[in-house]
């Protein structure tokens, strides 16, 4: 829990100082409501498997294991540290399915919504 305490302090300090993008599981639970935008990016199983095989140069069996292990660890981390379900849709402001929306369009959606919510000063 000391890790979470320090992480929370760093996240809050950074967020108060400047515009930030945090990539990680559960960070939205460290920020006050309305102080950020939480985005979940998902993709179909087959698409994720192919990406993992290519990125890590693994065969299908090894990629399946890596994906299952990683998903389990992420789910367990968010539950243990923040007492939330990683897949709870109410924990996110925006969920994008890369199986239906190309990554370039997803990036545009995220940028557009971020600018709408937090216009430049």
């Amino acid at each position: 829990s000391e890790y979470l305490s320090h992480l929370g302090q760093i996240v809050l300090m950074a967020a108060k100082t400047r515009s930030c993008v945090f990539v990680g599981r559960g960070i939205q639970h460290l920020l006050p409501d309305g102080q950020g935008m939480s985005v979940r990016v998902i993709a179909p199983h087959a698409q994720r498997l192919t990406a993992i095989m290519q990125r890590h140069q693994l065969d299908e069996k090894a990629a399946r294991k890596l994906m299952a292990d990683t998903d389990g660890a992420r789910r367990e981390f968010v539950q243990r540290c923040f007492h939330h379900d990683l897949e709870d849709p109410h924990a996110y402001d925006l969920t994008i399915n890369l199986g239906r929306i190309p990554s370039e369009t997803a990036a545009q959606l995220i940028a557009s919504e971020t600018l709408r919510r937090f216009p430049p000063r």
Side-chain angles (χ1 to χ4, degrees):
S1 191
E2 186 176 338
Y3 164 78
L4 276 182
S5 176
H6 288 296
L7 179 63
Q9 290 172 1
I10 291 167
V11 166
L12 289 173
M13 187 173 18
K16 287 180 182 179
T17 305
R18 63 181 63 192
S19 297
C20 300
V21 174
F22 299 107
V23 179
R25 305 292 180 261
I27 293 296
Q28 74 268 31
H29 303 298
L30 294 174
L31 294 170
D33 284 342
Q35 295 298 310
M37 187 173 80
S38 177
V39 178
R40 183 166 191 228
V41 180
I42 62 172
H45 185 84
Q47 184 176 342
R48 293 179 63 217
L49 187 62
T50 299
I52 289 169
M53 288 170 65
Q54 291 172 351
R55 185 177 305 124
H56 298 283
Q57 298 182 352
L58 297 172
D59 63 23
E60 185 175 337
K61 182 178 179 182
R64 281 183 190 279
K65 179 170 179 7
L66 177 60
M67 188 165 66
D69 291 349
T70 302
D71 287 352
R74 288 174 176 165
R75 193 174 302 107
E76 190 274 329
F77 175 79
V78 171
Q79 180 61 47
R80 179 174 39 86
C81 294
F82 303 111
H83 311 290
H84 285 275
D85 178 0
L86 179 68
E87 297 178 8
D88 177 5
H90 300 292
Y92 303 94
D93 299 304
L94 181 62
T95 299
I96 298 175
N97 182 347
L98 295 180
R100 297 179 182 240
I101 297 175
S103 57
E104 297 81 15
T105 304
Q108 291 170 355
L109 286 168
I110 294 167
S112 175
E113 179 58 13
T114 301
L115 288 172
R116 185 191 71 77
R117 283 178 167 207
F118 308 103
R121 298 177 205 186

